């Protein structure tokens, strides 16, 4: 039977894997699919995605995984791996997201998808957003691996 630490580490591994997978999906194909729509429709679609994700279960997993990871670290006999995993998760899910991706999303929300600025704003947004999303995907994936090893 699994103890509390193992259950928490497993939950943190699953949560970080889900969040890493969400971010990976954007890197792997969502951004390219939006590019194929053209700037105006891409802006409109990303605005819709950004609004929808805030009202989804993804937010509970996004922030809940950080709480569970911190709790797992406190419960674990050996804390080095869970602490490193929690730190990597925090960097990817909270720090990069809050400092880089969210401000870019907020700026994109002010763009008129039907207006002429969409043609110049989408490529700028997309390049910067993808760069930061790639970094958080790597951080979240590493966190998932460390939580898995710690479990």
């Amino acid at each position: 039977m699994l103890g509390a630490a193992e259950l928490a580490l497993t939950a943190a591994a699953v949560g970080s894997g889900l969040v890493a997978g969400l971010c990976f999906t954007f890197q792997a194909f969502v951004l390219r699919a939006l590019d194929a729509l053209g700037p105006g429709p891409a802006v409109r679609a990303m605005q819709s995605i950004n609004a929808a994700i805030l009202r989804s279960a993804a937010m509970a997993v996004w922030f809940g995984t950080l709480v569970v990871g911190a709790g797992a670290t406190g419960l674990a006999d050996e804390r080095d791996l869970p602490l490193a995993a929690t730190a990597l998760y925090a960097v990817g899910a909270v720090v990069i997201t809050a400092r880089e991706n969210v401000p870019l999303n907020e700026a994109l929300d002010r763009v008129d998808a039907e207006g002429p600025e969409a043609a110049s704003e989408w490529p700028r947004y997309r390049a910067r957003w993808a760069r930061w999303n790639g970094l958080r995907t790597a951080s979240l994936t590493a966190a998932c691996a460390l939580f898995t090893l710690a479990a």
Side-chain angles (χ1 to χ4, degrees):
M1 182 186 303
L2 293 177
E6 291 82 11
L7 286 172
L9 288 166
T10 301
V14 170
S16 59
L18 289 169
V19 175
L22 174 64
C23 292
F24 175 76
T25 300
F26 275 84
Q27 286 304 104
F29 63 86
V30 170
L31 292 173
R32 281 195 315 247
L34 294 176
D35 284 342
L37 297 174
V43 167
R44 189 170 42 258
M46 194 66 171
Q47 289 168 336
S48 180
I49 290 167
N50 289 336
I53 197 168
L54 294 174
R55 298 184 306 270
S56 74
M59 291 296 93
V61 175
W62 197 282
F63 292 106
T65 298
L66 182 60
V67 173
V68 171
T73 300
L75 292 170
D77 293 331
E78 172 54 51
R79 294 191 173 134
D80 290 346
L81 284 178
L83 181 61
T86 301
L88 284 168
Y89 186 84
V91 166
V94 178
V95 175
I96 293 173
T97 301
R99 290 182 56 116
E100 304 298 338
N101 294 91
V102 168
L104 289 168
N105 291 345
E106 290 171 345
L108 189 70
D109 281 344
R110 294 188 292 275
V111 172
D112 178 3
E114 306 302 322
E117 70 272 17
S120 62
E121 289 301 316
W122 174 252
R124 183 194 65 76
Y125 166 88
R126 190 245 197 260
R128 289 185 65 205
W129 195 93
R131 185 177 323 116
W132 290 109
N133 187 61
L135 287 173
R136 70 180 175 176
T137 301
S139 182
L140 295 165
T141 302
C144 179
L146 292 180
F147 280 129
T148 301
L149 289 171

